[in-house]
């Protein structure tokens, strides 16, 4: 393909070039073209999209759906399982999704790790959760579940509740088996035990090490202090969030979202409720949009303050974390005053927010806005301009935009490479197009830039919040829509129909039409999205949660080979991840 097709022309060009291999174009509420392709043409179609003049060069997501309980859908290929590939083009500011239909008796696809290296972990996750194999994969084995696990949890015939299992017991022999399964064998990962007559050291960093930032294990292959290679090991924090979404109503799943990136609070609610509102056809009032933006940016600041303190602590500075936690407490005073809760308010609702802003909220927020600018400048002067910090971070663990896109890196870590891509600007949602703010960028993509960018982002968040205070629209805090959940309480007390609706939607959940929707947001650690599939019931048929931290950890070996152990610690601190965001 020598042209640079856009929009519908892109679909037509793919259908022309690949003929019957591009089986069908599906209409959804995901906001992107969705194409069904044959298994045989998958790798070629992906390769073509990646090599366009304006390429789709970021594999944003790769997962699957067990279709067996939905039955055949008119006009779409017959499918027991569907594997989908979502690609993003930074240049075009467009996405495209490819789907492949699989029969239950032939669950196999070719690996696409040769086209997109970021596919490695995603394919392992699909194998782990669904039992779909990828021929040619360099290391296809479990990634979130223990290596001894039986079954594939996201299949529809796998139990969704603990009460459906036999009581758990662990014998001495069983414990020995589990421990042996976790023993690291270098040969299993293609590593040699020595080089030029010198033995390598294999060292566990984590899963209980303060620099691992959670239950995260990295096995290091060391030659002295040099990191020859490493293998990240995740899954210790896996809680089955996507499985739990299949047994919660659209409404009752909201509190679960807070606990994905547990430092992001209502920022996690936002992509979920926006995706549900797309399914429901709800347009929320401007007041709701502005309140959501204000509270999301408050949580961006609290998350970045936590990052800044632990980032500097990983570099050896012991006192900054006490200052950042003190400022974080001031932010939580505001959040608690408005929502009634601190870290996990679960405050957004389908069609609005839980309650209107309380009396005196402006004064509470303004006190924080007046306090923080001087503090951010002090952090820069005392820490980021400190010669020791600069020596420990400049040109350490650096990567460029091309490498970042190859590994699925988004958010501040991508912008630290100089790539100007922020969904709040490029694809405004919840009224972000009404706000004036800048997108901070780095130029080296190193540990220093990843820290400095986040300090600048806090400044821009303060600008956005100030505009919310100055220009908060009047109006309702919930949409006037029959699927707003729960309905406004005032009406519930006056009308029996609204009382009945309230009872049904809270106890059973709203009923949404069979459809698919997706919403991506610029979350605290990168792009976070919810891809929802409804089968016309009160619960999600499939909820796919794409988090930024998952691909960020996958990139670690690519960045750290040939580096040193202290640089690895600095890099881990600069990524800004929490394991709940990785493991879900």
């Amino acid at each position: 393909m020598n042209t640079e097709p856009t929009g519908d022309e892109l679909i037509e060009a793919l259908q022309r070039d690949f003929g019957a291999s591009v089986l069908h174009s599906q209409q959804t509420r995901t906001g992107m073209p969705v194409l069904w392709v044959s298994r045989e043409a998958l790798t070629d179609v992906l390769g073509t999209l990646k090599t366009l003049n304006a390429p789709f060069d970021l594999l944003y997501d790769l997962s699957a759906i067990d279709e067996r309980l939905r039955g055949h859908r008119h006009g779409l290929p017959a499918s027991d399982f569907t594997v989908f590939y979502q690609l993003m083009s930074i240049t075009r500011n467009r996405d495209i999704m490819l789907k492949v239909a699989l029969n239950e008796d032939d669950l196999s696809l070719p690996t696409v790790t040769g086209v997109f290296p970021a596919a490695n972990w995603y394919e392992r996750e699909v194998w782990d959760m669904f039992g779909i194999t990828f021929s040619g994969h360099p290391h296809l084995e479990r990634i979130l579940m223990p290596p001894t696990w039986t079954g594939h949890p996201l299949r529809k015939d796998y139990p969704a509740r603990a009460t459906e299992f036999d009581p758990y017991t662990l014998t001495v022999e069983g414990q020995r088996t589990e421990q042996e399964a976790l023993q690291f064998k270098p040969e299993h990962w293609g590593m040699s035990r020595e080089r030029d007559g010198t033995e390598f050291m294999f060292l566990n960093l984590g899963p209980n090490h303060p620099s691992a930032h959670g239950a995260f294990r990295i096995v290091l292959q060391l030659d002295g202090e040099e990191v020859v290679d490493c293998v990240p090991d995740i899954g210790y924090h896996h809680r089955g969030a996507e499985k739990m979404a299949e047994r919660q109503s659209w409404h009752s799943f909201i509190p679960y979202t807070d606990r994905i990136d547990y430092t992001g609070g209502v920022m996690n609610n936002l992509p979920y409720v926006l995706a549900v509102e797309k399914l429901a056809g709800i347009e929320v009032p401007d007041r709701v949009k502005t309140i959501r933006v204000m509270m999301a940016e408050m949580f961006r600041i609290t998350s970045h303050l936590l990052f800044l303190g632990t980032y500097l602590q990983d570099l050896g500075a012991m006192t900054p974390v006490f200052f950042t936690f003190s400022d974080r407490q001031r932010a939580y005073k505001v959040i608690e005053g408005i929502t009634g809760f601190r870290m996990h308010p679960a405050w957004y609702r389908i069609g609005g927010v839980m309650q209107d802003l309380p009396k005196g909220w402006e004064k509470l927020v303004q006190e924080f806005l007046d306090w923080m600018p001087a503090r951010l400048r002090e952090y820069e002067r005392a820490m980021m301009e400190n010669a020791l910090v600069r020596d420990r971070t400049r040109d350490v663990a650096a990567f460029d935009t091309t490498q970042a896109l190859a590994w699925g890196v988004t958010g501040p870590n991508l912008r630290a490479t100089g790539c100007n891509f922020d969904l709040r600007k490029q694809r405004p949602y919840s009224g972000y197009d009404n706000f004036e703010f800048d997108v901070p960028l780095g130029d080296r993509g190193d540990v220093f830039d990843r820290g400095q960018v986040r300090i600048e982002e806090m400044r821009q968040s303060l600008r956005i919040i100030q505009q919310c205070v100055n220009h908060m629209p009047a109006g309702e805090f919930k949409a006037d829509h029959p699927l707003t959940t729960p309905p406004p309480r005032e009406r519930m007390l006056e009308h029996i129909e609204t009382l009945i609706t309230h009872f049904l939607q809270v106890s059973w959940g709203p009923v949404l039409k069979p459809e698919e929707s997706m919403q991506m947001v610029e979350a605290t650690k990168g792009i976070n999205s919810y891809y929802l599939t409804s089968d016309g019931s009160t619960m999600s048929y499939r909820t796919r949660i794409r988090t930024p931290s998952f691909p960020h950890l996958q990139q670690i070996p690519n960045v750290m080979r040939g580096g040193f152990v202290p640089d690895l610690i600095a890099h881990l601190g600069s990524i800004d991840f929490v394991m709940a965001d990785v493991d879900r």
Side-chain angles (χ1 to χ4, degrees), residues 163 327 369 377 396-397 494 583:
T163 52
D327 290 339
L369 294 174
R377 178 61 193 135
V396 171
E494 297 175 2
D583 292 344

Side-chain angles (χ1 to χ4, degrees), residues 221-237:
Q221 182 187 26
L222 300 177
D223 183 1
E225 284 283 303
E226 179 189 352
V227 179
V228 179
D229 205 348
C230 59
V231 177
D233 182 19
I234 65 173
Y236 296 92
H237 209 306

Side-chain angles (χ1 to χ4, degrees), residues 233-246:
D233 182 19
I234 65 173
Y236 296 92
H237 209 306
H238 178 64
R239 297 150 296 158
E242 295 179 8
K243 187 72 171 182
M244 287 189 282
E246 297 176 8

